[in-house]
Amino acid sequence: MNKYLVIGNPIDHSLSPLLHNYWFKKYRFSDSIYEKKKVEKGDLKKIVEQIKKEEIKGVNVTVPFKREIFNYIDDAPQDVQLTKSVNTLVKENDKVVGYNTDQQGFEISLVKNDWFSKNKKVLIIGAGGVTPSILSSFIKINGAKKIYLTNRTREKAEELKKLWDTAPGILQIKEDTIEIIDWEKKCELCDLVINTTSVGLKKDEKINFDFSDYINKKEVLFYDLIYNPRETNFLKEAKIRGNKTMNGKMMFLWQAHLAFKMWTGVSPKINDEVIKLLD
Ligand SMILES: NC(=O)c1ccc[n+]([C@@H]2O[C@H](COP(=O)([O-])OP(=O)(O)OC[C@H]3O[C@@H](n4cnc5c(N)ncnc54)[C@H](OP(=O)(O)O)[C@@H]3O)[C@@H](O)[C@H]2O)c1
């Protein structure tokens, strides 16, 4: 049996097993199974060893270990070397390689929603494991005019900004493109406001930003990376204000699509049936 896992803590919210097992069945990988596993930081090394021994075939990494797992892998492509954010583990030539499919998943989700960042202003809330992927997609496609970044722990946002200050030649941006703002402080109105924190995974949680300036701003998109629950308070309140909203479902589907292809060589279809599966 080929065993695949998604690891994280918490992990109950993850719909990865539902999705990957659906694709295993659809594409007749009858010898493959995908499970979720709640792990602690101290378990990560062993998980990587198990991939090396082929006891586990592939792993997705979710909150809060996307950056921590980087310390245990053998190799990674250049973009992951920069962001140190990993969400997919694969064994290649006796090495465990850490990839990131979040960035591309996020980009595809925006493009398919007809949202392009060229000359736009973006507010990114959060500076956890997934945030470097979001940040680098705005930098890579070199569109965003301005990126405001804020995090409860300000130092983490500053560390993240430094990644691009110290990586000339890989992704070049103007010095003032990324600006850190204090937690819950206002900045100028943006075209996209994106929640990359884990606040909202539990039903009643919410972040306490004052978004009253966004009332009736119908063109502004509020995007929450969380897909389960389907509508966080962040999105509920945006809807009431009259803003556009989007949850993390399409990003989740596309990042999973890319991981599945990496593991099996099959490019699974994303159609209405699979979109409904996650509702
Ligand atoms: N749709 C998708 O495909 C997809 C892909 C990846 C991730 N996600 C979602 O994105 C979220 C973040 O994932 P991650 O891997 O970046 O997690 P992470 O590494 O654990 O980072 C958590 C982030 O949330 C902030 N945070 C946590 N509790 C908070 C609180 N009570 N108040 C304010 N800020 C708080 C943290 O701030 P501090 O630094 O101050 O602790 C940090 O910025 C998760 O909900 C995950 O499910 C979705």
Side-chain angles (χ1 to χ4, degrees):
M1 196 50 110
N2 293 323
K3 187 172 165 179
Y4 295 83
L5 284 181
V6 56
I7 57 167
N9 192 348
I11 198 63
D12 279 349
H13 67 279
S14 177
L15 297 181
S16 292
L18 177 70
L19 181 59
H20 284 280
N21 285 325
Y22 165 84
W23 281 333
F24 281 146
K25 197 167 169 205
K26 187 174 171 90
Y27 297 103
R28 298 193 160 75
F29 290 95
S30 54
D31 57 347
S32 297
I33 185 158
Y34 189 114
E35 292 168 351
K36 56 176 117 176
K37 191 173 166 121
K38 185 174 170 185
V39 297
E40 306 296 334
K41 194 170 156 181
D43 300 323
L44 300 180
K45 191 168 179 236
K46 188 174 169 212
I47 297 272
V48 172
E49 280 163 9
Q50 283 179 294
I51 299 174
K52 218 171 245 180
K53 287 190 222 152
E54 297 184 14
E55 291 166 12
I56 304 171
K57 192 90 197 285
V59 169
N60 281 138
V61 184
T62 186
V63 41
F65 300 123
K66 284 179 194 279
R67 298 198 87 193
E68 183 66 28
I69 196 81
F70 184 83
N71 299 319
Y72 302 102
I73 57 174
D74 301 314
D75 206 356
Q78 195 188 29
D79 57 332
V80 175
Q81 301 279 356
L82 172 72
T83 61
K84 299 185 173 53
S85 175
V86 171
N87 81 330
T88 303
L89 302 177
V90 187
K91 185 181 171 190
E92 289 175 1
N93 305 323
D94 290 327
K95 283 183 175 175
V96 177
V97 185
Y99 289 96
N100 188 305
T101 65
D102 283 335
Q103 183 184 317
Q104 232 185 311
F106 175 70
E107 281 167 22
I108 299 171
S109 75
L110 276 183
V111 169
K112 297 242 179 227
N113 198 30
D114 286 334
W115 202 94
F116 301 93
S117 63
K118 195 117 192 97
N119 289 325
K120 300 268 177 68
K121 293 175 194 158
V122 179
L123 167 59
I124 299 177
I125 302 168
V130 72
T131 316
S133 302
I134 307 306
L135 203 45
S136 63
S137 65
F138 290 122
I139 294 166
K140 205 178 94 188
I141 46 184
N142 204 13
K145 188 170 160 186
K146 184 85 187 179
I147 302 165
Y148 293 99
L149 178 63
T150 186
N151 192 49
R152 176 181 62 175
T153 313
R154 188 185 162 104
E155 302 80 67
K156 282 204 211 160
E158 277 160 2
E159 272 169 40
L160 215 50
K161 181 179 182 315
K162 264 191 223 145
L163 286 183
W164 279 275
D165 293 343
T166 55
I170 297 180
L171 299 160
Q172 285 177 337
I173 53 165
K174 282 198 270 165
E175 210 179 292
D176 61 352
T177 302
I178 304 173
E179 186 175 327
I180 312 279
I181 55 166
D182 283 338
W183 185 245
E184 292 173 355
K185 287 277 150 50
K186 281 190 183 183
C187 63
E188 64 174 322
L189 277 191
C190 288
D191 305 286
L192 171 66
V193 179
I194 172 160
N195 177 32
T196 78
T197 75
S198 47
V199 180
L201 276 180
K202 291 191 200 125
K203 233 181 167 184
D204 297 327
E205 286 178 330
K206 63 181 246 182
I207 41 176
N208 291 311
F209 280 69
D210 176 5
F211 289 127
S212 53
D213 293 350
Y214 288 89
I215 291 172
N216 288 331
K217 299 285 181 227
K218 294 187 178 62
E219 293 311 308
V220 177
L221 175 64
F222 276 69
Y223 188 147
D224 199 326
L225 296 194
I226 295 174
Y227 61 88
N228 186 16
R230 251 187 291 167
E231 197 177 59
T232 56
N233 288 321
F234 178 77
L235 295 187
K236 272 185 197 143
E237 289 172 6
K239 237 184 209 173
I240 292 167
R241 281 191 303 271
N243 312 129
K244 285 197 245 179
T245 60
M246 182 167 171
N247 73 10
K249 183 160 93 170
M250 293 316 291
M251 171 181 173
F252 169 71
L253 274 167
W254 283 104
Q255 64 74 30
H257 166 100
L258 296 162
F260 191 89
K261 190 175 172 196
M262 234 176 244
W263 291 327
T264 64
V266 170
S267 191
K269 265 200 188 136
I270 295 200
N271 52 20
D272 287 348
E273 189 179 314
V274 77
I275 292 171
K276 271 203 192 117
L277 177 76
L278 304 182
D279 281 341

